[in-house]
Amino acid sequence: MFAILLSTLWTAFSFLLRTVVIKFFIFTAMFVLLTELLPMVTRLMGLQGFTGALTGSLASIPSSVWFFLNSFRFDFGLPLILSAYASRFVIRRLPLVG
């Protein structure tokens, strides 16, 4: 009886160790890499100057279009979408995840 209980506890412990704890550390490491690495990559690729060129090209948009762009929070959504696409690209290139 005691051996069955002990075996059950060791099985549950090994399951928790293999699935929960290790995946927690893997996903935490991925999160830190993505949040710290992507801004550095965009700085190295020169995308900071891209925003200046983008601002210059968006200056020719008429005010009637800007009304709808501001209504849909285009200034917040566009960088968010570009960052999500870059994160997806990086995650798909990881050998264990993608």
Side-chain angles (χ1 to χ4, degrees), residues 22-33:
I22 291 178
K23 285 183 183 179
F24 171 76
F25 284 117
I26 288 173
F27 286 121
T28 302
M30 283 176 33
F31 175 76
V32 169
L33 279 174

Side-chain angles (χ1 to χ4, degrees), residues 17-78:
L17 185 66
R18 276 186 286 164
T19 58
V20 176
V21 175
I22 291 178
K23 285 183 183 179
F24 171 76
F25 284 117
I26 288 173
F27 286 121
T28 302
M30 283 176 33
F31 175 76
V32 169
L33 279 174
L34 287 175
T35 56
E36 297 298 323
L37 198 63
L38 279 178
M40 187 172 61
V41 168
T42 57
R43 237 187 345 257
L44 290 174
M45 289 176 53
L47 293 179
Q48 301 295 334
F50 175 73
T51 57
L54 184 64
T55 304
S57 65
L58 291 178
S60 62
I61 295 178
S63 62
S64 59
V65 175
W66 273 117
F67 172 76
F68 290 105
L69 290 179
N70 285 334
S71 297
F72 292 116
R73 293 294 308 234
F74 182 75
D75 59 333
F76 179 73
L78 182 66

